[in-house]
């Protein structure tokens, strides 16, 4: 069968995926559960790699992946499908040429939606941010995960159809903590049907490897950016702000503009201010004023990316540094513990 729906992804891992000890360990845990027939749920704050890991685990299963993203507007029909008009079948029987018999059969026409297609065809369902859908929209999952049956409503309210769930069907879920805006409290019965792996911020080694892979910066510079961003968390707002995404943005701007991760480099200082100050302001300035936050960012730059005393940092002659070769890893350095990552410039953060 050829899957042409836009939500069906081929099982091809991304080329810049970074696999450190931490990532391999979480992947192996999740794969173990999925292969034992238990759906897995990655839960954690923004930017800890839930979606990336869910797709990575799904790709390991080597089945087409059906991707769904939770939405407050979803009803059950957005998962299961809906009746879309009627199908008319006409049978003309003129076996005996003098007699013409016509039979009309009008039946409701059902159009599958993503969950139904995944159940019928045995796809791997990745339901990203599933708690952004209202709990009642996700009810169909209860019998899918427990009894292996998808119940399809019939236009006649007294009847239902059942779709047996294909044995290759698996489901991987992600969610943000319930205190996040727009996240619903999912029903306990659904949580009981999956194994939840709580993810926290990446370790420094993984974060550095990701930033390096996603920007093309050298390992040493990626590490400087990561240390600065990590240091800003307790000072400016907490683990779910200034995530690896902030570090990736800063690193990509440096790589693109030939700037240096050192105090005194105007591009570096400006992008740190924009990204870190902006992120703090996004949720109320952490009880500080914008001016104080800017000063704290400047202080963090001085502490974690000090420039050589008394001179401005050297700027690269060409604006883009895509041709730079990352410096070889030193023993015990972050790159020692990660797979080589594709250095190509990523399309998005
Ligand atoms: N193993 C990895 N290799 C390469 N990049 C990664 C890896 N894990 C995460 N990233 C990158 O880190 C960023 C955050 O990851 P991701 O989007 O998966 O987080 P999330 O937990 O799903 O966040 P949110 O809750 O905001 O959706 C992304 O830019 C992603 O591409
Ligand atoms: Mg995500």
């Amino acid at each position: 069968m050829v899957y042409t729906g836009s939500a069906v992804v081929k099982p091809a891992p991304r080329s810049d995926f970074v696999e450190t000890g931490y990532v391999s360990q979480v992947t192996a845990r999740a794969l173990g559960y999925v292969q034992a027939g238990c759906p897995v749920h990655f839960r954690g704050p923004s930017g800890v790699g839930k979606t990336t890991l869910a797709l990575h685990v799904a790709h390991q299963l080597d089945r087409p992946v059906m991707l769904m993203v939770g939405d407050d507007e979803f009803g059950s029909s957005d998962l299961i499908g809906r009746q879309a008009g009627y199908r008319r079948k006409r049978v003309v029987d003129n076996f005996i040429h003098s007699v013409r018999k016509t039979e009309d059969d009008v039946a409701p026409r059902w159009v599958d939606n993503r969950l139904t297609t995944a159940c019928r065809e045995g796809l791997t369902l990745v339901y990203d941010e599933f708690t952004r859908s209202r709990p009642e929209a996700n009810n169909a999952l209860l019998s899918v995960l427990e009894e292996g049956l998808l119940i399809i409503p019939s236009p006649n309210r007294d009847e239902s159809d059942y779709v047996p769930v294909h044995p290759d069907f698996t489901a991987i879920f992600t969610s943000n903590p319930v205190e996040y805006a727009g996240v619903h409290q999912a029903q306990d019965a659904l949580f009981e049907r999956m194994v939840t792996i709580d993810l926290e911020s990446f370790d420094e080694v993984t974060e550095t490897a990701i930033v390096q892979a996603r920007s093309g910066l050298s390992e040493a510079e990626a590490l400087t950016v990561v240390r600065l961003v990590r240091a800003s968390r307790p000072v400016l707002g907490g683990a779910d702000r200034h995530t690896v995404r902030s570090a990736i943005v800063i690193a990509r701007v440096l790589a693109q503009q030939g700037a240096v991760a050192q105090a005194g480099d105007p591009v570096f200082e400006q992008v740190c201010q924009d990204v870190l100050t902006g992120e703090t302001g996004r949720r109320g300035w952490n009880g500080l004023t914008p001016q104080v936050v800017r000063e704290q960012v400047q202080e963090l730059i001085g502490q974690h990316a000090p420039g050589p005393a008394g001179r401005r940092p050297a700027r690269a002659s060409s604006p883009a540094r895509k041709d730079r070769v990352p410096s070889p890893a030193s023993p015990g350095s972050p790159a020692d513990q990660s797979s080589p990552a594709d250095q190509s410039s990523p399309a998005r953060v």
Side-chain angles (χ1 to χ4, degrees), residues 65-106:
V65 176
M66 177 66 85
L67 179 61
M68 278 189 345
V69 183
D71 188 322
D72 191 57
E73 300 284 307
F74 273 1
S76 59
S77 60
D78 292 296
L79 273 71
I80 303 173
R82 56 172 59 82
Q83 191 196 318
Y86 290 88
R87 180 187 288 116
R88 184 172 188 194
K89 194 164 78 179
R90 170 170 286 191
V91 179
V92 178
D93 178 353
N94 57 358
F95 184 64
I96 303 168
H97 68 90
S98 56
V99 180
R100 188 182 169 90
K101 191 174 127 200
T102 309
E103 204 177 287
D104 271 342
D105 185 8
V106 178

Coordinates of all heavy atoms in Angstrom, one line a residue, residues 65-106:
V65 N 5.1 6.3 9.5 CA 4.7 7.0 10.7 C 3.5 7.9 10.4 O 3.6 8.7 9.5 CB 5.9 7.8 11.2 CG1 5.5 8.6 12.4 CG2 7.1 6.9 11.6
M66 N 2.5 7.8 11.2 CA 1.4 8.8 11.1 C 1.5 9.8 12.2 O 1.6 9.5 13.4 CB 0.1 8.0 11.3 CG -1.2 8.9 11.2 SD -1.4 9.6 9.6 CE -2.3 8.3 8.8
L67 N 1.7 11.1 11.8 CA 1.9 12.2 12.7 C 0.7 12.9 13.0 O 0.0 13.4 12.0 CB 3.0 13.1 12.2 CG 3.4 14.3 13.1 CD1 3.9 13.9 14.4 CD2 4.5 15.1 12.3
M68 N 0.3 13.1 14.2 CA -0.9 13.9 14.6 C -0.4 14.9 15.7 O 0.4 14.5 16.5 CB -2.0 13.1 15.2 CG -2.8 12.4 14.2 SD -4.3 11.6 14.9 CE -4.2 11.4 16.6
V69 N -0.9 16.1 15.6 CA -0.6 17.1 16.7 C -1.8 17.5 17.4 O -2.8 17.9 16.7 CB 0.2 18.3 16.0 CG1 0.6 19.3 17.2 CG2 1.4 17.9 15.3
G70 N -1.9 17.4 18.7 CA -3.1 17.7 19.4 C -3.5 19.1 19.2 O -2.7 20.0 18.9
D71 N -4.8 19.3 19.3 CA -5.4 20.6 19.0 C -6.7 20.7 19.8 O -7.6 19.8 19.8 CB -5.7 20.6 17.5 CG -6.2 22.0 17.0 OD1 -6.9 22.7 17.7 OD2 -5.8 22.4 15.9
D72 N -6.9 21.9 20.4 CA -8.1 22.1 21.2 C -9.4 22.0 20.4 O -10.4 21.8 20.9 CB -7.9 23.5 21.8 CG -9.0 23.8 22.9 OD1 -9.0 23.0 23.9 OD2 -9.7 24.7 22.8
E73 N -9.3 22.3 19.1 CA -10.5 22.3 18.3 C -10.8 20.8 17.8 O -11.9 20.7 17.2 CB -10.2 23.1 17.0 CG -9.8 24.5 17.2 CD -11.1 25.3 17.5 OE1 -12.0 25.3 16.8 OE2 -11.1 26.0 18.6
F74 N -10.0 19.9 18.1 CA -10.3 18.5 17.6 C -11.6 18.0 18.3 O -11.8 18.1 19.5 CB -9.2 17.5 18.0 CG -8.0 17.5 17.0 CD1 -8.0 18.2 15.9 CD2 -7.0 16.6 17.2 CE1 -7.0 18.1 15.0 CE2 -5.9 16.5 16.3 CZ -6.0 17.3 15.2
G75 N -12.4 17.3 17.5 CA -13.4 16.4 18.1 C -13.0 15.0 17.7 O -12.0 14.8 17.0
S76 N -13.8 14.0 18.2 CA -13.4 12.6 17.9 C -13.3 12.3 16.4 O -12.5 11.5 16.0 CB -14.4 11.7 18.6 OG -15.7 11.9 18.1
S77 N -14.2 13.0 15.6 CA -14.1 12.8 14.2 C -12.8 13.2 13.6 O -12.4 12.7 12.5 CB -15.3 13.5 13.5 OG -15.2 14.8 13.7
D78 N -12.1 14.1 14.2 CA -10.8 14.5 13.7 C -9.7 13.4 13.8 O -8.7 13.4 13.1 CB -10.3 15.8 14.3 CG -11.1 17.0 13.9 OD1 -11.1 17.3 12.8 OD2 -11.8 17.5 14.8
L79 N -10.0 12.5 14.7 CA -9.1 11.3 14.9 C -9.6 10.1 14.1 O -8.9 9.4 13.4 CB -9.1 10.9 16.4 CG -8.0 11.6 17.2 CD1 -8.4 13.0 17.5 CD2 -7.8 10.8 18.5
I80 N -11.0 9.9 14.2 CA -11.5 8.7 13.7 C -11.9 8.8 12.2 O -11.7 7.9 11.4 CB -12.8 8.2 14.5 CG1 -12.4 8.1 15.9 CG2 -13.3 6.9 13.9 CD1 -13.6 7.8 16.8
G81 N -12.6 9.9 11.9 CA -13.1 10.1 10.5 C -14.6 10.5 10.6 O -15.1 10.7 11.7
R82 N -15.2 10.6 9.5 CA -16.6 11.0 9.5 C -17.4 10.5 8.3 O -16.8 10.1 7.3 CB -16.7 12.6 9.5 CG -16.0 13.2 8.4 CD -16.2 14.7 8.4 NE -15.8 15.4 9.6 CZ -14.6 15.8 9.8 NH1 -13.6 15.6 9.0 NH2 -14.3 16.4 11.0
Q83 N -18.7 10.6 8.5 CA -19.5 10.2 7.4 C -19.5 11.4 6.4 O -19.8 12.5 6.8 CB -20.9 9.9 7.8 CG -21.8 9.3 6.8 CD -23.2 9.3 7.1 OE1 -23.6 9.1 8.3 NE2 -24.1 9.7 6.2
A84 N -19.2 11.1 5.1 CA -19.2 12.2 4.2 C -20.1 11.9 3.0 O -19.7 11.4 2.0 CB -17.8 12.4 3.7
G85 N -21.4 12.2 3.2 CA -22.4 11.9 2.2 C -22.7 10.4 2.1 O -22.5 9.6 3.0
Y86 N -23.3 10.1 0.9 CA -23.7 8.7 0.6 C -23.1 8.2 -0.6 O -22.8 8.9 -1.5 CB -25.3 8.7 0.5 CG -25.9 9.0 1.8 CD1 -26.2 10.3 2.2 CD2 -26.3 7.9 2.7 CE1 -26.8 10.6 3.4 CE2 -26.8 8.2 3.9 CZ -27.1 9.5 4.3 OH -27.7 9.8 5.5
R87 N -22.9 6.9 -0.6 CA -22.4 6.2 -1.8 C -23.6 5.4 -2.4 O -24.3 4.7 -1.7 CB -21.3 5.2 -1.5 CG -20.8 4.5 -2.7 CD -19.8 3.4 -2.3 NE -18.5 4.0 -1.8 CZ -18.1 3.8 -0.6 NH1 -18.8 3.1 0.3 NH2 -16.9 4.3 -0.2
R88 N -23.8 5.6 -3.7 CA -24.9 5.0 -4.4 C -24.4 3.9 -5.3 O -23.5 4.2 -6.1 CB -25.7 6.0 -5.2 CG -27.0 5.4 -5.8 CD -27.8 6.6 -6.4 NE -29.1 6.1 -6.8 CZ -29.9 6.8 -7.6 NH1 -29.5 8.0 -8.0 NH2 -31.0 6.3 -8.0
K89 N -24.9 2.7 -5.2 CA -24.5 1.6 -6.0 C -25.7 1.1 -6.9 O -26.7 0.9 -6.3 CB -24.0 0.5 -5.2 CG -23.2 -0.5 -5.9 CD -22.4 -1.4 -5.0 CE -23.3 -2.5 -4.3 NZ -22.6 -3.4 -3.4
R90 N -25.5 1.1 -8.2 CA -26.6 0.6 -9.0 C -26.2 -0.6 -9.8 O -25.1 -0.7 -10.4 CB -27.0 1.7 -10.0 CG -27.9 1.3 -11.1 CD -28.5 2.4 -11.9 NE -29.4 3.2 -11.2 CZ -30.2 4.1 -11.7 NH1 -30.1 4.4 -13.0 NH2 -31.1 4.8 -11.0
V91 N -27.0 -1.7 -9.6 CA -26.7 -2.9 -10.3 C -27.7 -3.1 -11.4 O -28.9 -3.1 -11.1 CB -26.7 -4.1 -9.3 CG1 -26.5 -5.4 -10.0 CG2 -25.8 -3.9 -8.1
V92 N -27.3 -3.2 -12.6 CA -28.3 -3.5 -13.7 C -28.1 -4.9 -14.2 O -27.0 -5.3 -14.5 CB -28.0 -2.5 -14.9 CG1 -28.9 -2.7 -16.0 CG2 -28.0 -1.0 -14.4
D93 N -29.2 -5.6 -14.1 CA -29.1 -7.0 -14.5 C -29.9 -7.2 -15.7 O -31.2 -7.1 -15.7 CB -29.7 -7.8 -13.3 CG -29.7 -9.3 -13.6 OD1 -29.4 -9.7 -14.8 OD2 -30.1 -10.1 -12.7
N94 N -29.3 -7.3 -16.9 CA -30.1 -7.6 -18.1 C -29.6 -8.9 -18.8 O -29.3 -8.9 -20.0 CB -30.0 -6.4 -19.1 CG -28.6 -6.0 -19.4 OD1 -27.7 -6.6 -19.0 ND2 -28.5 -5.0 -20.3
F95 N -29.5 -9.8 -17.9 CA -29.0 -11.1 -18.4 C -30.0 -11.7 -19.5 O -29.6 -12.2 -20.5 CB -28.9 -12.1 -17.2 CG -28.4 -13.4 -17.6 CD1 -27.0 -13.6 -18.0 CD2 -29.1 -14.6 -17.5 CE1 -26.5 -14.8 -18.3 CE2 -28.6 -15.8 -17.8 CZ -27.3 -15.9 -18.2
I96 N -31.2 -11.5 -19.2 CA -32.3 -11.9 -20.2 C -32.7 -10.6 -20.9 O -33.1 -9.7 -20.2 CB -33.5 -12.5 -19.6 CG1 -33.0 -13.8 -18.8 CG2 -34.5 -12.9 -20.6 CD1 -34.1 -14.3 -17.8
H97 N -32.4 -10.4 -22.2 CA -32.5 -9.1 -22.8 C -33.9 -8.5 -22.8 O -34.0 -7.3 -22.8 CB -32.0 -9.1 -24.3 CG -32.8 -9.9 -25.2 ND1 -33.9 -9.4 -25.9 CD2 -32.8 -11.2 -25.5 CE1 -34.4 -10.3 -26.6 NE2 -33.8 -11.4 -26.4
S98 N -34.9 -9.3 -22.6 CA -36.2 -8.8 -22.6 C -36.6 -8.3 -21.2 O -37.6 -7.6 -21.0 CB -37.2 -9.8 -23.1 OG -37.1 -10.9 -22.3
V99 N -35.7 -8.6 -20.2 CA -36.1 -8.2 -18.8 C -34.9 -7.4 -18.3 O -33.8 -7.7 -18.4 CB -36.2 -9.5 -17.9 CG1 -36.5 -9.0 -16.4 CG2 -37.2 -10.5 -18.4
R100 N -35.2 -6.2 -17.8 CA -34.1 -5.3 -17.2 C -34.5 -5.1 -15.7 O -35.5 -4.5 -15.4 CB -34.2 -4.0 -18.0 CG -33.0 -3.1 -17.7 CD -33.2 -1.8 -18.5 NE -32.2 -0.8 -18.0 CZ -31.0 -0.7 -18.5 NH1 -30.6 -1.4 -19.4 NH2 -30.2 0.2 -18.0
K101 N -33.5 -5.5 -14.9 CA -33.8 -5.3 -13.4 C -32.7 -4.4 -12.9 O -31.5 -4.5 -13.2 CB -33.6 -6.7 -12.8 CG -34.1 -6.7 -11.4 CD -34.0 -8.2 -10.8 CE -33.3 -8.2 -9.5 NZ -32.8 -9.5 -9.2
T102 N -33.2 -3.4 -12.2 CA -32.2 -2.4 -11.6 C -32.3 -2.4 -10.1 O -33.5 -2.4 -9.6 CB -32.5 -1.0 -12.1 OG1 -32.6 -1.0 -13.5 CG2 -31.4 0.0 -11.7
E103 N -31.2 -2.4 -9.4 CA -31.2 -2.4 -8.0 C -30.4 -1.2 -7.5 O -29.2 -1.1 -7.9 CB -30.6 -3.7 -7.5 CG -31.1 -4.2 -6.1 CD -30.5 -5.5 -5.8 OE1 -31.0 -6.5 -6.4 OE2 -29.6 -5.5 -5.0
D104 N -30.9 -0.4 -6.7 CA -30.2 0.8 -6.1 C -29.8 0.5 -4.7 O -30.7 0.0 -3.9 CB -31.0 2.0 -6.2 CG -30.8 2.7 -7.5 OD1 -29.8 2.5 -8.1 OD2 -31.6 3.6 -7.8
D105 N -28.6 0.7 -4.3 CA -28.2 0.5 -2.9 C -27.5 1.8 -2.4 O -26.5 2.2 -3.0 CB -27.3 -0.7 -2.8 CG -26.9 -1.0 -1.4 OD1 -27.5 -0.4 -0.5 OD2 -26.0 -1.8 -1.2
V106 N -28.1 2.5 -1.5 CA -27.5 3.8 -1.0 C -27.0 3.5 0.4 O -27.7 3.1 1.3 CB -28.6 4.9 -1.0 CG1 -28.0 6.2 -0.5 CG2 -29.2 5.1 -2.4

